[in-house]
Amino acid sequence: MSGPAAGTASAATTTDVVCLGESMVTFLPSQPGRLADVPSFGRGIGGAESNVACALAAAGHRAAWVGRVGADGFGEHLVETIAGYGVDTSAVRRDPVRPTGIYFRTATDRGTDTHEVAYYRAGSAASAMSPANVPYEELFAGRILHLSGITAALSADCLELLRELTAARPGRPLVSFDVNHRPHLWRGGDASVLLELARRADLVFVGEDEAEEAWGIVGAEAIRAAVPEPSVLVVKRGSAGATVFASGLRPGPRSSNAGGAGNAGAEDADTVTHVPALRVDVVAAVGAGDAFAAGFLSATLRGLTVRDRARHGHLMAAAVLTVPGDLTDPPARDHADRLAALDDDAWGRLRLGPGWTAADRAPEEVRTP
C-alpha cells in the first residue's frame, strides 16, 4: 500500500477521522507452520485503529492516529510507517520507560485451530494510556473519533479512558466504536464492559460471532435490542453480509460537521438494511474487519446511503482479503462507486480476486462466475 508522505498540518484543523488505539510491530512468518518451526519472520505493523486510519488516508480522507509508543526503534518504525500512508501522527506520545508492543503470528487464518499468535504487549507503552495523558484537543478535533474494544482490554486506565471518551459532553465528535472482541485479551476480565461502551457510541460495528461469545446474545435483532442507543449499528454476519440498523444520528453540538453523516443518517431513519457480502477469492483473512470499518466510515463522511456505506465496507474488505497483509491500496473512488451502484443482481454476481482493485478495470471486467 502506498501513500503520500504525512503532512505537517495540525490534526486540530484538518482531520476527518481521529483513530485512537495501540499499534504494534508484527512479525510475519516466512513460511507456513507452527511458530516453533518457522525459521524467520518479516517485520510489519498491526493495530486495528491504525489500520483504519491508514485505509482512510489511502482513500483520500484526512486521518490521524493517536497512540503511545515506546522511545525505541520499534516505536519509531510504527510512527514512520503509519505516517508514510498519509496519516497525521503528530499527537502520538513516546513513553520513556515502557516498550512498544510486538507480536508474532502464523500464516494460517486466525479463524482456524492451527493459527497461533504470541503477544508481547503486557506493560506496553500503549497500555499506559489514560485520561491523564492523552491529548484531548487532538482527539476531539476530528469529525469522527474512532475507537475499539481492544483498547479497553489493555489496562484499567485504558478502560477508564474509553469511558471518558464515550461520555456525553459538549463538543464531542461523532463516536465510532468497533467492538473488536479479542478473547485472549479478556482472560480473567469482564468483556461485558464492551456492551457498556457500545451503548455510549453513535456508530457501532460488531460481529454476530463476537456478540455471542462476549455477551451471549444471538442474532442481529437481539443485538439491536441490547444496543438500542447508537444511531447506527452495523452487525457483521460473515459470509451472510451485514445488517445495518439506522435511526438517524443524534443531534449534537458537532452534528453539522460530521461529514454530512447527521443529515444522511436522518434520511435513513428507523431503517433496517441487509447488504449481502461479496464473493472473494481470499488470499489472507486478516485485516478485513478494520477495512470494512474504514470503507463504511469513508462512505459516511461522504453522506452516502446506508446501503452504499455497507457496500463500500465490503469493497474495502475485499481489497484487503485479496492480498497477504493487513493493508493495501483500496480501489480508486470512482471504481468503488461504480461497483457500489450496481443493481442487486449484478452485485450478487460479483466475484473479486487478486488484482481486482486495478483502476482501469470496469465493473463488467470484474471476474464473475
Side-chain angles (χ1 to χ4, degrees), residues 161-237:
L161 172 61
L162 286 203
R163 284 178 167 143
E164 285 281 328
L165 293 175
T166 56
R169 68 178 69 198
R172 189 186 91 169
L174 186 153
V175 173
S176 165
F177 180 71
D178 191 335
V179 170
N180 255 331
H181 177 240
R182 297 288 187 267
H184 63 275
L185 292 177
W186 289 100
R187 290 170 186 160
D190 182 6
S192 67
V193 299
L194 297 176
L195 182 58
E196 170 198 335
L197 295 170
R199 296 183 64 178
R200 295 156 66 104
D202 301 301
L203 165 59
V204 172
F205 302 94
V206 62
E208 274 192 321
D209 55 345
E210 59 187 353
E212 181 175 4
E213 186 170 24
W215 307 328
I217 300 171
V218 180
E221 296 288 345
I223 295 170
R224 181 54 166 173
V227 190
E229 292 87 355
S231 301
V232 178
L233 172 69
V234 183
V235 179
K236 297 176 291 182
R237 305 173 61 210

Side-chain angles (χ1 to χ4, degrees), residues 4-356:
T8 58
S10 167
T13 58
T14 66
T15 307
D16 291 323
V17 181
V18 177
C19 303
L20 173 134
E22 180 174 35
S23 191
M24 295 181 290
V25 172
T26 175
F27 289 92
L28 310 174
S30 58
Q31 65 186 44
R34 302 184 308 155
L35 286 178
D37 301 326
V38 174
S40 61
F41 296 80
R43 185 179 64 175
I45 67 170
E49 301 85 2
S50 59
N51 284 348
V52 172
C54 289
L56 284 166
H61 297 285
R62 298 164 299 183
W65 172 62
V66 178
R68 193 173 181 88
V69 300
D72 50 35
F74 287 147
E76 288 303 310
H77 173 67
L78 278 175
V79 174
E80 291 173 3
T81 303
I82 294 168
Y85 288 113
V87 176
D88 184 340
T89 58
S90 61
V92 175
R93 300 295 190 258
R94 273 76 169 177
D95 191 310
V97 177
R98 299 171 183 84
T100 303
I102 65 173
Y103 74 98
F104 298 76
R105 68 172 173 84
T106 54
T108 52
D109 182 350
R110 68 171 51 140
T112 69
D113 292 338
T114 57
H115 183 69
E116 298 174 72
V117 180
Y119 287 100
Y120 299 89
R121 73 196 305 177
S124 70
S127 71
M129 290 189 295
S130 77
N133 63 19
V134 298
Y136 278 84
E137 182 178 353
E138 285 88 347
L139 286 171
F140 286 176
R143 297 157 71 182
I144 296 175
L145 172 61
H146 180 70
L147 310 168
S148 99
I150 294 173
T151 304
L154 298 181
S155 68
D157 282 344
C158 283
L159 173 57
E160 185 59 28
L161 172 61
L162 286 203
R163 284 178 167 143
E164 285 281 328
L165 293 175
T166 56
R169 68 178 69 198
R172 189 186 91 169
L174 186 153
V175 173
S176 165
F177 180 71
D178 191 335
V179 170
N180 255 331
H181 177 240
R182 297 288 187 267
H184 63 275
L185 292 177
W186 289 100
R187 290 170 186 160
D190 182 6
S192 67
V193 299
L194 297 176
L195 182 58
E196 170 198 335
L197 295 170
R199 296 183 64 178
R200 295 156 66 104
D202 301 301
L203 165 59
V204 172
F205 302 94
V206 62
E208 274 192 321
D209 55 345
E210 59 187 353
E212 181 175 4
E213 186 170 24
W215 307 328
I217 300 171
V218 180
E221 296 288 345
I223 295 170
R224 181 54 166 173
V227 190
E229 292 87 355
S231 301
V232 178
L233 172 69
V234 183
V235 179
K236 297 176 291 182
R237 305 173 61 210
S239 61
T243 299
V244 184
F245 299 87
S247 60
L249 294 175
R250 292 196 301 270
R254 294 184 61 94
S255 62
S256 62
N257 62 345
N263 292 334
E267 287 181 4
D268 304 305
D270 302 315
T271 61
V272 180
T273 306
H274 304 281
V275 182
L278 291 161
R279 286 176 293 170
V280 179
D281 295 333
V282 176
V283 172
V286 292
D290 303 331
F292 181 95
F296 194 98
L297 290 174
S298 173
T300 298
L301 286 163
R302 297 170 58 202
L304 302 186
T305 66
V306 166
R307 187 204 71 169
D308 286 357
R309 295 181 207 182
R311 283 190 172 188
H312 276 276
H314 287 315
L315 289 165
M316 195 82 86
V320 169
L321 288 169
T322 50
V323 298
D326 290 25
L327 293 166
T328 188
D329 287 317
R333 182 172 291 183
D334 60 347
H335 185 193
D337 283 345
R338 290 197 303 271
L339 294 177
L342 293 173
D343 63 40
D344 290 346
D345 288 342
W347 176 263
R349 291 195 301 271
L350 286 180
R351 182 167 180 173
L352 306 180
W356 76 268

